[in-house]
Amino acid sequence: MSSTETPVAPAGTTELSWPDPCEVAGTVRLVAPDGSRLPAQALELSGHGVYAAAAARTTPDQLRAMYRDMVLTRAFDREATSLQRQGELGLWPECRGQEAAQIGSAHALRPRDHVFPSYREHGVAHVRGLPLHELLHLFRGTEHGGWDPTAHGFHLYTLVIGSHTLHATGYGMGIQRDGDVGTGTDRDRAVVAYFGDGATAQGDVNEALVFAATTNAPVVFFCQNNHWAISAPTSVQTTVPLVERASGFGIPGVRVDGNDAVAVKAVTEAALERARAGGGPTFIEAVTYRMGAHTTSDDPTRYRERAEEEAWSRRDPIERLAALLRAEEHADADFFAAVEAESAELAAGVRTYCRSLTPPPAATIFDHVYASEHPLVAEESAWFAQYEASFDGAPAGGHA
Amino acid sequence: MSAETVETAETSATVETSSRPSTERLPMARAINAGLRRALATDDRVMLMGEDIGRLGGVFRVTDGLQAEFGTQRVVDSPLAESGILGTAIGLAMAGYRPVVEIQFDGFVFPAFDQITTQLAKLHYRSAGRLQVPVVIRIPYGGNIGAIEHHSESPEALFAHTAGLRIVTPATAADAYSMIQQSIASPDPVIFLEPKARYWDKGEVDLSGDGVDLGPDGWRSLHVARTVRTGTDLTIAAYGPTVATALAAAQVAEGEGHDVEVVDLRSVSPIDVDTLAESVGRTGRLVVVHEAPMFFGPGAEIAARVTERCFHQLEAPVLRVGGFHTPYPASSVEKEYLPSLDRILDAVDRSLAY
Ligand SMILES: Cc1ncc(C[n+]2csc(CCOP(=O)(O)OP(=O)(O)O)c2C)c(N)n1
Ligand SMILES: [Mg+2]
């Protein structure tokens, strides 16, 4: 944790113990936790006027769409968590609390952009148009990936922390070679790599920043600092705010209130526009909070305090956007009720879909090891087929 | 029979069918260079990346002149970070490019081990066949050049244990020229091991490219072993740097009245067990030679597979000649560690004595 994130008041005095790290100067925040917009003058003074102007152009339709996506993502997340509890999924990594960071940034993407996610970007997947239930294949163990990475420009989840930031950078180098940057037309595109605070300690992430900086690749490094890497607080990974790392690589860094969807969208939009125009990479530190456990296998009570979770629950990203929609009269009770109903429907659909997923035939374990025929795989797969066939007609559980 | 005569015979066969004979006598390093040049010239998606490969032409000069010819976007001097090189090559492959990366020396591939075994090898599988990542990894490997530590290793077994990778290694200039092009044409990732001690060995190469099968079935010939010397008493299986030593040993054995067959495997993954089993079926004896450590090395796999196939024809256990279970030793004593002519002959004698 940076000094700004360290508890300052003695334990027991709830609110003050966990000061809001996004109140620190330099962090882009456009909407306060109570849903009110920050005064334009103050934002101008802090140098964030450009983001405020962009946010002012965000239409009520877009605000409502972001809200809807956040609520649907949370409903899906809750459903997947209970499916895991019921034994229908092997594991589930919740994204609860990070919806503004994910949906705000994903709303800045264009269809031709590509996303390289970690394993918690359910909200991004949803905005990209990936049917959320397709995320379940991986966690139910019926497939490793489960979706077509090219169909929605949303690549496979990467469980090896940080590896995919290099793939994102390489993909960006490909975009450069295709001539798809800096044309000033719809042709221009860019890449976003999502990763966590823990991942910033990995060699691959640092190498990705080196490669992206020196090749000026159109990549946005979107770090969700959710304060925890399983049980390790951010202070285990860094002694400076993560955003400060960027300048050492020669990459501009922006720290944004990750629970403010409006600010996240504005900041990511600017970074993506810069990348598409040929301006090179940007590092975004979205300060947010993992409200749930690391995964369904984790027990956060062993390493963090309830008071911290409570402090962050008062900064809930969905409530903040709802408050803004209400304050600016962009949404009425009917709208909120309709989104609630849609969520329930989505959850029910996901439940049914999940239970319908059956294991693939065992012989498929030999599929797609190589893109072209391979004698050893062919030999082992043929042996396996005849071995399986040897049970045909045998009494259950016995050999022929 | 020697490796040279085999190579020449093959080359002349190709020349007869070629409209423009262009056979040249080249060192292996130049042959790889010519193969890379041809791949770059015929496919815009091919690009090279690595440390010092551009302006310098690589520490072994294998990529000499290619950056000047094809530009800095296609022959890229990378930052000094092997995982970064592999990881970005994977991303480029996902974007439709065909990156050929150079790892400067065998001992420096390990920072990229994770990207190679965890990402590159598995992406086609994990994506249920939706993604292809045709990355070629060129690695100068093996010892016998008097180098300091970390510059003489043979890590092929570490990669062969991983499904999803193809691993090949040429023993001659002609093979180097054709196999590098076939590796680049392969839809799968290929580790292309270059026997650095043979970089300066010359051989005839048909530079017209007519003899190189780059079709969708090109991978088949890439993994076909070649009998480079026929014999009836014993088979030696070798690959990469040890093929020439095996041929020399066969020559000496001939003087002692033993007719030894030598098979150049050319491919470590997959292994052409058919060719080996056919040979051992006739000779009844097999000695496997490689520089990599014997323990859990390719020879162990070959021994197991050939024994399964040829149990009744074997006159002796399959013997191995390779590196010991030690780190690669200091260069002044590397000759004792490497599978030398004498150590191969010792194994031949032991096998024949059964
Ligand atoms: C290379 C690697 N080491 C360890 C792990 C086990 N692991 C899974 S998630 C995780 C913490 C990641 O933290 P962070 O990057 O902050 O992402 P978050 O989970 O908070 O989204 C660890 C240690 C892993 N998946 N990959
Ligand atoms: Mg984290």
Side-chain angles (χ1 to χ4, degrees):
Chain A
M1 244 179 282
S2 72
S3 55
T4 56
E5 293 165 57
T6 310
V8 290
T13 58
T14 51
E15 182 80 46
L16 268 180
S17 304
W18 307 100
D20 188 341
C22 297
E23 274 166 8
V24 173
T27 306
V28 182
R29 165 180 279 175
L30 304 179
V31 178
D34 65 4
S36 62
R37 289 197 198 243
L38 271 76
Q41 220 178 351
L43 291 169
E44 208 59 62
L45 278 176
S46 55
H48 299 158
V50 48
Y51 300 124
R57 290 193 296 273
T58 303
T59 64
D61 267 348
Q62 288 170 329
L63 293 175
R64 279 190 296 268
M66 284 203 287
Y67 175 82
R68 175 179 166 271
D69 287 337
M70 286 164 68
V71 173
L72 290 179
T73 299
R74 186 167 290 185
F76 166 73
D77 209 25
R78 192 188 308 122
E79 186 55 42
T81 305
S82 47
L83 282 166
Q84 194 283 333
R85 293 284 176 246
Q86 294 156 27
E88 300 287 349
L89 296 176
L91 182 80
W92 187 252
E94 267 188 290
C95 69
R96 184 159 50 97
Q98 299 179 217
E99 293 90 349
Q102 298 190 4
I103 276 117
S105 57
H107 270 257
L109 290 160
R110 289 195 200 150
R112 278 167 48 75
D113 296 331
H114 268 238
V115 170
F116 287 76
S118 68
Y119 42 81
R120 206 188 287 286
E121 276 69 61
H122 319 319
V124 182
H126 169 65
V127 177
R128 289 308 280 170
L130 185 79
L132 279 170
H133 59 246
E134 289 193 22
L135 296 174
L136 301 181
H137 302 182
L138 172 65
F139 296 97
R140 192 168 162 87
T142 52
E143 263 188 68
H144 274 330
W147 58 91
D148 182 350
T150 56
H152 307 279
F154 186 79
H155 285 260
L156 297 183
Y157 275 177
T158 302
L159 299 177
V160 188
I161 302 294
S163 303
H164 62 294
T165 56
L166 280 167
H167 307 164
T169 304
Y171 198 94
M173 290 163 67
I175 289 178
Q176 286 178 306
R177 282 166 177 75
D178 291 342
D180 289 354
V181 277
T183 69
T185 68
D186 278 354
R187 186 176 163 171
D188 294 343
R189 55 202 201 108
V191 184
V192 182
Y194 286 88
F195 55 99
D197 44 292
T200 61
Q202 281 284 358
D204 275 6
V205 174
N206 288 272
E207 292 187 23
L209 291 164
V210 168
F211 276 70
T214 57
T215 61
N216 208 40
V219 184
V220 175
F221 291 92
F222 194 92
C223 175
Q224 290 171 86
N225 178 355
N226 63 6
H227 285 75
W228 294 96
I230 310 187
S231 69
T234 313
S235 58
V236 171
Q237 325 292 347
T238 184
T239 55
V240 298
L242 288 171
V243 68
E244 287 182 20
R245 293 264 183 89
S247 68
F249 292 95
I251 295 178
V254 189
R255 193 169 195 261
V256 63
D257 180 341
N259 285 7
D260 174 358
V262 175
V264 172
K265 177 168 181 281
V267 162
T268 314
E269 238 161 33
L272 276 168
E273 265 159 32
R274 182 169 176 275
R276 293 188 204 106
T282 301
F283 181 100
I284 297 173
E285 179 191 359
V287 181
T288 179
Y289 191 76
R290 194 195 78 209
M291 284 167 75
H294 169 67
T295 66
T296 44
S297 306
D298 179 39
D299 174 12
T301 63
R302 293 178 72 98
Y303 54 79
R304 72 184 189 189
E305 292 182 38
R306 196 103 201 126
E308 179 183 291
E309 293 174 1
E310 276 161 16
W312 278 96
S313 73
R314 286 190 287 277
R315 299 170 199 140
D316 187 286
I318 297 186
E319 282 169 25
R320 188 182 313 196
L321 191 53
L324 177 76
L325 287 170
R326 276 196 208 95
E328 300 188 345
E329 295 177 15
H330 295 319
D332 56 16
D334 285 353
F335 168 77
F336 290 111
V339 174
E340 258 342 290
E342 204 185 340
S343 308
E345 210 175 302
L346 177 112
V350 162
R351 198 154 51 237
T352 313
Y353 181 86
C354 180
R355 296 197 171 121
S356 78
L357 286 175
T358 50
T364 60
I365 64 176
F366 297 103
D367 292 348
H368 309 301
V369 182
Y370 292 87
S372 46
E373 197 187 312
H374 191 278
L376 181 56
V377 177
E379 182 188 319
E380 291 183 351
S381 128
W383 176 86
F384 184 75
Q386 66 82 26
Y387 170 75
E388 290 278 276
S390 72
F391 295 98
D392 288 351
H399 279 77
Chain B
M1 231 196 207
S2 76
E4 275 312 302
T5 48
V6 169
E7 196 176 288
T8 311
E10 285 215 341
T11 312
S12 50
T14 314
V15 168
E16 274 162 25
T17 58
S18 164
S19 47
R20 45 191 174 91
S22 48
T23 311
E24 243 183 81
R25 203 170 156 72
L26 292 179
M28 181 188 283
R30 293 304 302 170
I32 300 170
N33 180 283
L36 291 170
R37 173 179 287 106
R38 189 152 178 272
L40 282 160
T42 50
D43 186 348
D44 285 345
R45 299 168 306 162
V46 174
M47 53 179 294
L48 314 187
M49 303 204 296
E51 295 157 12
D52 309 295
I53 66 162
R55 285 184 74 173
L56 182 67
V59 292
F60 289 105
R61 308 293 182 270
V62 171
T63 53
D64 189 31
L66 298 179
Q67 189 180 67
E69 195 170 335
F70 296 98
T72 53
Q73 288 300 293
R74 298 195 61 203
V75 182
V76 182
D77 277 315
S78 307
L80 208 172
E82 287 75 13
S83 193
I85 293 170
L86 254 299
T88 53
I90 291 169
L92 278 154
M94 288 172 167
Y97 288 82
R98 300 190 88 93
V100 183
V101 305
E102 176 178 300
I103 298 293
Q104 204 161 67
F105 283 93
D106 36 59
F108 307 135
V109 70
F110 300 110
F113 195 76
D114 170 54
Q115 284 287 347
I116 296 171
T117 56
T118 310
Q119 301 296 329
L120 184 64
K122 293 183 168 73
L123 268 161
H124 187 66
Y125 193 72
R126 290 178 54 229
S127 67
R130 292 173 183 116
L131 294 178
Q132 288 188 4
V133 276
V135 174
V136 176
I137 308 168
R138 295 182 35 243
I139 313 178
Y141 84 120
N144 223 355
I145 61 161
I148 53 169
E149 57 184 342
H150 311 301
H151 292 71
S152 301
E153 313 204 343
S154 297
E156 57 268 32
L158 295 169
F159 295 108
H161 204 60
T162 301
L165 303 172
R166 295 176 180 277
I167 305 169
V168 299
T169 176
T172 65
D175 260 1
Y177 174 71
S178 63
M179 288 168 74
I180 187 64
Q181 294 178 65
Q182 288 180 311
S183 298
I184 295 169
S186 164
D188 290 308
V190 179
I191 298 186
F192 188 83
L193 296 169
E194 301 174 0
K196 66 171 92 79
R198 305 290 176 199
Y199 267 153
W200 303 279
D201 287 6
K202 289 187 175 174
E204 292 293 326
V205 184
D206 170 14
L207 291 177
S208 73
D210 292 354
V212 187
D213 178 4
L214 296 179
D217 273 351
W219 65 269
R220 283 179 204 279
S221 52
L222 190 57
H223 300 295
V224 171
R226 181 183 297 132
T227 307
V228 289
R229 186 187 207 278
T230 53
T232 53
D233 298 340
L234 180 145
T235 304
I236 299 179
Y239 57 83
T242 58
V243 174
T245 324
L247 282 167
Q251 198 74 49
V252 176
E254 188 181 308
E256 294 167 1
H258 306 304
D259 191 12
V260 172
E261 179 149 311
V262 178
V263 175
D264 174 3
L265 289 175
R266 300 169 80 247
S267 173
V268 178
S269 179
I271 293 171
D272 181 358
V273 185
D274 289 346
T275 297
L276 274 182
E278 189 279 323
S279 172
V280 176
R282 283 185 283 102
T283 63
R285 292 182 162 84
L286 177 62
V287 172
V288 188
V289 183
H290 52 58
E291 290 188 15
M294 286 178 280
F295 189 65
F296 275 90
E301 183 62 33
I302 290 168
R305 286 183 183 272
V306 169
T307 304
E308 270 180 42
R309 299 267 285 268
C310 305
F311 187 70
H312 295 292
Q313 291 99 315
L314 278 170
E315 307 282 350
V318 178
L319 298 181
R320 288 169 289 163
V321 184
F324 301 116
H325 195 56
T326 68
Y328 195 88
S331 59
S332 62
V333 286
E334 70 180 330
K335 293 268 185 290
E336 315 307 323
Y337 172 92
L338 288 165
S340 59
L341 185 79
D342 286 340
R343 277 181 62 203
I344 297 175
L345 287 171
D346 168 70
V348 167
D349 288 346
R350 278 189 287 133
S351 177
L352 289 167
Y354 256 87

